[in-house]
Amino acid sequence: MNLENKKNDKIVIGLIITSVVLLLLSFIAPLLFTEFTEDPRFDFNKTGAIGDTIGGLMNPFIALAGVFITFLAFYMQLKANQIQISLFNKNQKEQTRLLKEQMFFRLLENINQRIINFTSTEIASDDLKKEEKEEFVSYKALDNLIKRFFYKIDYKCIDLGRRLLATIPEKLDNTQYFKILQASYPGKFPTKETMEELKQSLISRTTYEERWEYIKTFVGSTDSKNNDQNEALKSIGHVQFYKIDFKHKENIYISCYDELYKKYGGFMDGYTKNISYLMNFIDQDENNDFFIDYFKSNISTQELILIYYFCASRKSSQKFREQIKKYQILDDLYLSRDRFIDSPSQNELAIEIENILKKSINR
């Protein structure tokens, strides 16, 4: 911009100097051309009236100076118009930026209001004879929803442990078989031999169905009410949760989200739609660093966890997951890893997030 201004200044100065020189020549020309000279070619004493001579000499220079000054006037007007257009465009950009910021903060406020207005009532039973209801409001209601996700997955780890016994018995260590035997045969201390025997018995059965039926002989069927056996199976699910392929637990995320959606769908649907719209809004802005930084600095841990489960479910779109990955929205979730099953390490949680945010969720 400075180079352009310098170029324009040179043009203006050149035109002014040229006009001044021409005007000076118009005054000097009569003197030069009417001076006494011995050269007959420059003797103007025999020409017409002196006024005609002076006029004839001055007029071309004055006319040229007038042309240059007129051009200079048009040029200055052109530059003034360009400056006005530039200022107008700059003002328009500033107004657009302000409108975008207002829209951004309004969207954030709408999301915040959804959380503030979110209420849920849970039944807390201390015993079979007494039943109390507890009401949660605002961020406490959101925190309660996140706990429900934890409880759902925790419970489904019982079935996961059973399935892992039937699919990858060779990858489970003896500690897991120790807990199974201890729960199935209370009062007896499992030996290394009995643990290894149980492990080999499962491995020797080559089909999933054979192993599944055999498991029932020492941990009961899927509707078993034996708490010790269920806790032993749950322990397997917990320990292996972040070690196994994502495909073994994908349906857990999906089913948990669907089950909770039946009760909390009003809030979950409204919140996730607003977040999706906000991410699209941010993604469309070229200079969105401010929006992203502000959003990440103000979003709560509970919201991040809800987004995590939303991305892990079939309800999240591929575009949304790509945006979450692009702007690294979930990168700080490891600070709250105690809110997840078995408190995964930073690396384990990072791998889990990477699997969740893949382009497509395996079905």
Side-chain angles (χ1 to χ4, degrees):
M1 191 67 182
N2 290 332
L3 292 175
E4 182 68 21
N5 289 336
K6 289 181 180 179
K7 182 179 178 181
N8 293 333
D9 291 341
K10 289 180 180 179
I11 293 174
V12 172
I13 292 172
L15 289 172
I16 292 174
I17 292 174
T18 303
S19 300
V20 170
V21 169
L22 290 171
L23 285 173
L24 290 174
L25 284 175
S26 69
F27 288 105
I28 296 173
L31 180 63
L32 292 175
F33 291 116
T34 57
E35 279 293 314
F36 175 77
T37 178
E38 294 180 355
D39 191 339
R41 292 176 302 172
F42 299 103
D43 184 5
F44 298 101
N45 291 325
K46 297 179 180 181
T47 60
I50 190 63
D52 293 339
T53 301
I54 293 172
L57 292 170
M58 293 180 65
N59 284 342
F61 295 103
I62 293 173
L64 284 173
V67 169
F68 282 115
I69 291 173
T70 301
F71 176 78
L72 179 62
F74 279 114
Y75 181 79
M76 295 300 291
Q77 182 62 47
L78 175 64
K79 299 310 296 182
N81 291 341
Q82 289 177 344
I83 291 172
Q84 287 182 339
I85 293 172
S86 177
L87 291 173
F88 177 79
N89 291 336
K90 184 177 180 181
N91 184 60
Q92 285 291 99
K93 288 180 180 180
E94 182 65 17
Q95 291 296 322
T96 301
R97 184 186 65 82
L98 291 174
L99 287 173
K100 285 183 177 180
E101 287 186 3
Q102 292 175 5
M103 182 66 174
F104 171 75
F105 287 113
R106 189 173 298 175
L107 290 171
L108 280 183
E109 180 61 24
N110 287 342
I111 292 172
N112 187 52
Q113 285 300 317
R114 282 190 174 276
I115 297 174
I116 290 174
N117 296 328
F118 179 34
T119 61
S120 64
T121 303
E122 306 295 339
I123 298 176
S125 300
D126 296 329
D127 54 54
L128 297 176
K129 298 179 181 178
K130 185 179 180 182
E131 203 174 72
E132 295 180 354
K133 290 185 177 180
E134 185 176 1
E135 186 175 48
F136 297 91
V137 181
S138 187
Y139 279 89
K140 287 187 176 180
L142 178 58
D143 190 65
N144 173 66
L145 173 58
I146 298 307
K147 288 179 180 178
R148 298 294 151 187
F149 272 105
F150 180 90
Y151 297 148
K152 286 281 185 183
I153 295 177
D154 181 62
Y155 179 77
K156 289 181 183 296
C157 278
I158 297 174
D159 180 65
L160 176 61
R162 187 185 292 271
R163 286 190 288 112
L164 293 178
L165 280 171
T167 52
I168 53 170
E170 69 283 354
K171 293 184 179 181
L172 305 182
D173 57 46
N174 285 345
T175 304
Q176 306 305 316
Y177 290 105
F178 177 88
K179 292 180 180 180
I180 290 292
L181 290 170
Q182 194 175 47
S184 301
Y185 306 102
K188 293 183 179 181
F189 188 82
T191 64
K192 183 178 180 180
E193 289 74 18
T194 55
M195 289 184 283
E196 189 63 33
E197 182 182 351
L198 175 58
K199 184 175 183 178
Q200 291 303 319
S201 296
L202 281 168
I203 295 174
S204 64
R205 288 166 170 79
T206 55
T207 66
Y208 179 87
E209 290 74 17
E210 287 180 321
R211 292 174 180 174
W212 186 267
E213 291 302 319
Y214 180 68
I215 290 169
K216 293 180 181 179
T217 62
F218 52 88
V219 290
S221 60
T222 53
D223 59 352
S224 172
K225 304 299 182 182
N226 188 312
N227 290 331
D228 291 336
Q229 292 176 343
N230 286 337
E231 286 299 317
L233 290 170
K234 185 190 295 183
S235 175
I236 296 175
H238 280 197
V239 171
Q240 297 294 326
F241 198 83
Y242 300 102
K243 298 177 182 177
I244 58 177
D245 290 339
F246 188 72
K247 63 183 180 181
H248 290 300
K249 54 199 167 179
E250 184 181 48
N251 284 331
I252 292 178
Y253 286 121
I254 294 173
S255 61
C256 285
Y257 196 95
D258 288 344
E259 289 170 17
L260 288 170
Y261 188 84
K262 293 177 182 178
K263 181 174 182 179
Y264 305 99
F267 170 77
M268 292 167 65
D269 191 53
Y271 179 85
T272 53
K273 283 182 178 178
N274 273 263
I275 284 291
S276 297
Y277 186 86
L278 178 64
M279 294 306 300
N280 285 331
F281 175 83
I282 293 174
D283 202 36
Q284 291 170 2
D285 191 272
E286 294 180 357
N287 303 312
N288 52 25
D289 290 344
F290 168 76
F291 293 155
I292 286 296
D293 291 341
Y294 190 89
F295 173 71
K296 291 170 72 172
S297 65
N298 283 272
I299 192 168
S300 66
T301 299
Q302 294 92 330
E303 291 176 87
L304 288 177
I305 297 175
L306 180 56
I307 292 172
Y308 170 94
Y309 287 124
F310 177 59
C311 289
S313 75
R314 68 168 67 93
K315 288 182 172 60
S316 61
S317 67
Q318 178 178 321
K319 181 180 179 181
F320 181 78
R321 292 194 297 275
E322 289 174 351
Q323 290 168 341
I324 295 298
K325 182 176 182 178
K326 176 182 177 181
Y327 298 114
Q328 303 173 327
I329 302 298
L330 301 180
D331 279 12
D332 291 335
L333 257 188
Y334 72 93
L335 297 173
S336 304
R337 54 184 178 270
D338 59 320
R339 307 294 296 271
F340 295 91
I341 293 297
D342 205 44
S343 297
S345 67
Q346 182 176 349
N347 184 58
E348 287 175 332
L349 191 56
I351 294 173
E352 192 76 354
I353 292 173
E354 179 68 23
N355 287 323
I356 286 172
L357 298 182
K358 281 182 179 178
K359 290 186 177 181
S360 62
I361 294 181
N362 298 325
R363 294 297 298 149

PDB file of all heavy atoms in Angstrom, residues 41 49 80 86 95 114 128-129 142 188 215 258 273 310 359:
ATOM      1  N   ARG A  41      16.387  34.988 -39.294  1.00  0.00           N
ATOM      2  CA  ARG A  41      15.358  33.951 -39.073  1.00  0.00           C
ATOM      3  C   ARG A  41      14.596  34.178 -37.784  1.00  0.00           C
ATOM      4  O   ARG A  41      13.468  33.742 -37.643  1.00  0.00           O
ATOM      5  CB  ARG A  41      16.025  32.559 -39.037  1.00  0.00           C
ATOM      6  CG  ARG A  41      16.589  32.106 -40.385  1.00  0.00           C
ATOM      7  CD  ARG A  41      17.303  30.780 -40.243  1.00  0.00           C
ATOM      8  NE  ARG A  41      18.376  30.867 -39.276  1.00  0.00           N
ATOM      9  CZ  ARG A  41      19.060  29.810 -38.842  1.00  0.00           C
ATOM     10  NH1 ARG A  41      18.760  28.598 -39.302  1.00  0.00           N
ATOM     11  NH2 ARG A  41      20.048  29.982 -37.955  1.00  0.00           N
ATOM     12  N   ALA A  49       1.104  42.325 -35.214  1.00  0.00           N
ATOM     13  CA  ALA A  49       1.061  43.039 -33.933  1.00  0.00           C
ATOM     14  C   ALA A  49       1.704  42.184 -32.843  1.00  0.00           C
ATOM     15  O   ALA A  49       1.618  40.962 -32.858  1.00  0.00           O
ATOM     16  CB  ALA A  49      -0.379  43.355 -33.578  1.00  0.00           C
ATOM     17  N   ALA A  80      -9.369   9.961  -4.948  1.00  0.00           N
ATOM     18  CA  ALA A  80     -10.275  10.225  -3.826  1.00  0.00           C
ATOM     19  C   ALA A  80     -11.407   9.202  -3.804  1.00  0.00           C
ATOM     20  O   ALA A  80     -11.797   8.700  -2.739  1.00  0.00           O
ATOM     21  CB  ALA A  80     -10.831  11.639  -3.933  1.00  0.00           C
ATOM     22  N   SER A  86     -12.203   2.199  -0.671  1.00  0.00           N
ATOM     23  CA  SER A  86     -11.379   1.396   0.239  1.00  0.00           C
ATOM     24  C   SER A  86     -11.869   1.526   1.683  1.00  0.00           C
ATOM     25  O   SER A  86     -11.976   0.527   2.415  1.00  0.00           O
ATOM     26  CB  SER A  86      -9.920   1.832   0.129  1.00  0.00           C
ATOM     27  OG  SER A  86      -9.122   1.119   1.057  1.00  0.00           O
ATOM     28  N   GLN A  95     -17.781  -4.201   9.996  1.00  0.00           N
ATOM     29  CA  GLN A  95     -19.166  -4.465  10.390  1.00  0.00           C
ATOM     30  C   GLN A  95     -19.486  -5.951  10.320  1.00  0.00           C
ATOM     31  O   GLN A  95     -20.155  -6.504  11.189  1.00  0.00           O
ATOM     32  CB  GLN A  95     -20.130  -3.676   9.483  1.00  0.00           C
ATOM     33  CG  GLN A  95     -20.099  -2.173   9.687  1.00  0.00           C
ATOM     34  CD  GLN A  95     -20.563  -1.768  11.069  1.00  0.00           C
ATOM     35  OE1 GLN A  95     -21.494  -2.355  11.629  1.00  0.00           O
ATOM     36  NE2 GLN A  95     -19.916  -0.768  11.640  1.00  0.00           N
ATOM     37  N   ARG A 114     -29.433 -23.544  27.386  1.00  0.00           N
ATOM     38  CA  ARG A 114     -29.961 -24.913  27.352  1.00  0.00           C
ATOM     39  C   ARG A 114     -29.494 -25.692  28.574  1.00  0.00           C
ATOM     40  O   ARG A 114     -30.247 -26.462  29.157  1.00  0.00           O
ATOM     41  CB  ARG A 114     -29.522 -25.623  26.074  1.00  0.00           C
ATOM     42  CG  ARG A 114     -30.310 -25.234  24.852  1.00  0.00           C
ATOM     43  CD  ARG A 114     -30.024 -26.124  23.675  1.00  0.00           C
ATOM     44  NE  ARG A 114     -30.907 -25.813  22.565  1.00  0.00           N
ATOM     45  CZ  ARG A 114     -32.138 -26.291  22.420  1.00  0.00           C
ATOM     46  NH1 ARG A 114     -32.620 -27.124  23.323  1.00  0.00           N
ATOM     47  NH2 ARG A 114     -32.882 -25.941  21.380  1.00  0.00           N
ATOM     48  N   LEU A 128     -35.530 -51.308  49.719  1.00  0.00           N
ATOM     49  CA  LEU A 128     -36.688 -51.683  48.911  1.00  0.00           C
ATOM     50  C   LEU A 128     -37.980 -51.030  49.401  1.00  0.00           C
ATOM     51  O   LEU A 128     -38.967 -50.987  48.674  1.00  0.00           O
ATOM     52  CB  LEU A 128     -36.844 -53.210  48.918  1.00  0.00           C
ATOM     53  CG  LEU A 128     -35.679 -53.983  48.284  1.00  0.00           C
ATOM     54  CD1 LEU A 128     -35.912 -55.479  48.441  1.00  0.00           C
ATOM     55  CD2 LEU A 128     -35.521 -53.622  46.815  1.00  0.00           C
ATOM     56  N   LYS A 129     -37.976 -50.528  50.628  1.00  0.00           N
ATOM     57  CA  LYS A 129     -39.199 -49.975  51.196  1.00  0.00           C
ATOM     58  C   LYS A 129     -39.307 -48.471  50.988  1.00  0.00           C
ATOM     59  O   LYS A 129     -40.368 -47.891  51.085  1.00  0.00           O
ATOM     60  CB  LYS A 129     -39.253 -50.274  52.699  1.00  0.00           C
ATOM     61  CG  LYS A 129     -39.293 -51.766  53.011  1.00  0.00           C
ATOM     62  CD  LYS A 129     -39.318 -51.992  54.509  1.00  0.00           C
ATOM     63  CE  LYS A 129     -39.335 -53.482  54.844  1.00  0.00           C
ATOM     64  NZ  LYS A 129     -39.319 -53.721  56.309  1.00  0.00           N
ATOM     65  N   LEU A 142     -26.389 -31.796  34.047  1.00  0.00           N
ATOM     66  CA  LEU A 142     -25.458 -32.243  33.016  1.00  0.00           C
ATOM     67  C   LEU A 142     -24.430 -33.207  33.604  1.00  0.00           C
ATOM     68  O   LEU A 142     -24.100 -34.234  32.990  1.00  0.00           O
ATOM     69  CB  LEU A 142     -24.748 -31.040  32.389  1.00  0.00           C
ATOM     70  CG  LEU A 142     -23.695 -31.331  31.323  1.00  0.00           C
ATOM     71  CD1 LEU A 142     -24.294 -32.120  30.159  1.00  0.00           C
ATOM     72  CD2 LEU A 142     -23.077 -30.034  30.813  1.00  0.00           C
ATOM     73  N   LYS A 188     -12.717 -71.196  48.171  1.00  0.00           N
ATOM     74  CA  LYS A 188     -11.590 -71.946  47.632  1.00  0.00           C
ATOM     75  C   LYS A 188     -10.584 -70.966  47.023  1.00  0.00           C
ATOM     76  O   LYS A 188     -10.964 -70.064  46.269  1.00  0.00           O
ATOM     77  CB  LYS A 188     -12.048 -72.943  46.564  1.00  0.00           C
ATOM     78  CG  LYS A 188     -12.908 -74.072  47.115  1.00  0.00           C
ATOM     79  CD  LYS A 188     -13.252 -75.065  46.012  1.00  0.00           C
ATOM     80  CE  LYS A 188     -14.085 -76.226  46.552  1.00  0.00           C
ATOM     81  NZ  LYS A 188     -14.407 -77.211  45.480  1.00  0.00           N
ATOM     82  N   ILE A 215     -18.719 -71.062  29.283  1.00  0.00           N
ATOM     83  CA  ILE A 215     -18.614 -69.988  30.279  1.00  0.00           C
ATOM     84  C   ILE A 215     -19.773 -70.039  31.258  1.00  0.00           C
ATOM     85  O   ILE A 215     -19.625 -69.754  32.452  1.00  0.00           O
ATOM     86  CB  ILE A 215     -18.548 -68.619  29.565  1.00  0.00           C
ATOM     87  CG1 ILE A 215     -17.204 -68.470  28.834  1.00  0.00           C
ATOM     88  CG2 ILE A 215     -18.718 -67.472  30.542  1.00  0.00           C
ATOM     89  CD1 ILE A 215     -17.141 -67.287  27.896  1.00  0.00           C
ATOM     90  N   ASP A 258     -28.073 -44.465  22.866  1.00  0.00           N
ATOM     91  CA  ASP A 258     -29.470 -44.655  22.495  1.00  0.00           C
ATOM     92  C   ASP A 258     -30.360 -44.826  23.724  1.00  0.00           C
ATOM     93  O   ASP A 258     -31.478 -44.308  23.778  1.00  0.00           O
ATOM     94  CB  ASP A 258     -29.613 -45.870  21.576  1.00  0.00           C
ATOM     95  CG  ASP A 258     -29.049 -45.609  20.184  1.00  0.00           C
ATOM     96  OD1 ASP A 258     -28.829 -44.429  19.851  1.00  0.00           O
ATOM     97  OD2 ASP A 258     -28.817 -46.575  19.433  1.00  0.00           O
ATOM     98  N   LYS A 273     -27.309 -30.407  18.433  1.00  0.00           N
ATOM     99  CA  LYS A 273     -27.634 -29.649  17.224  1.00  0.00           C
ATOM    100  C   LYS A 273     -27.037 -28.255  17.290  1.00  0.00           C
ATOM    101  O   LYS A 273     -26.518 -27.732  16.291  1.00  0.00           O
ATOM    102  CB  LYS A 273     -29.150 -29.577  17.020  1.00  0.00           C
ATOM    103  CG  LYS A 273     -29.764 -30.857  16.481  1.00  0.00           C
ATOM    104  CD  LYS A 273     -31.255 -30.711  16.260  1.00  0.00           C
ATOM    105  CE  LYS A 273     -31.840 -32.000  15.656  1.00  0.00           C
ATOM    106  NZ  LYS A 273     -33.312 -31.886  15.476  1.00  0.00           N
ATOM    107  N   PHE A 310     -21.210 -38.338  21.978  1.00  0.00           N
ATOM    108  CA  PHE A 310     -21.988 -38.018  20.779  1.00  0.00           C
ATOM    109  C   PHE A 310     -21.219 -38.440  19.526  1.00  0.00           C
ATOM    110  O   PHE A 310     -21.794 -38.985  18.581  1.00  0.00           O
ATOM    111  CB  PHE A 310     -22.290 -36.518  20.750  1.00  0.00           C
ATOM    112  CG  PHE A 310     -23.021 -36.059  19.517  1.00  0.00           C
ATOM    113  CD1 PHE A 310     -24.254 -36.584  19.173  1.00  0.00           C
ATOM    114  CD2 PHE A 310     -22.474 -35.089  18.700  1.00  0.00           C
ATOM    115  CE1 PHE A 310     -24.933 -36.158  18.035  1.00  0.00           C
ATOM    116  CE2 PHE A 310     -23.137 -34.647  17.565  1.00  0.00           C
ATOM    117  CZ  PHE A 310     -24.367 -35.185  17.235  1.00  0.00           C
ATOM    118  N   LYS A 359     -13.233 -41.289  10.070  1.00  0.00           N
ATOM    119  CA  LYS A 359     -14.175 -40.821   9.067  1.00  0.00           C
ATOM    120  C   LYS A 359     -15.497 -41.540   9.094  1.00  0.00           C
ATOM    121  O   LYS A 359     -16.552 -40.973   8.837  1.00  0.00           O
ATOM    122  CB  LYS A 359     -13.553 -40.917   7.670  1.00  0.00           C
ATOM    123  CG  LYS A 359     -12.445 -39.907   7.439  1.00  0.00           C
ATOM    124  CD  LYS A 359     -11.968 -39.948   6.001  1.00  0.00           C
ATOM    125  CE  LYS A 359     -10.905 -38.872   5.758  1.00  0.00           C
ATOM    126  NZ  LYS A 359     -10.431 -38.869   4.371  1.00  0.00           N
TER     127      LYS A 359
END
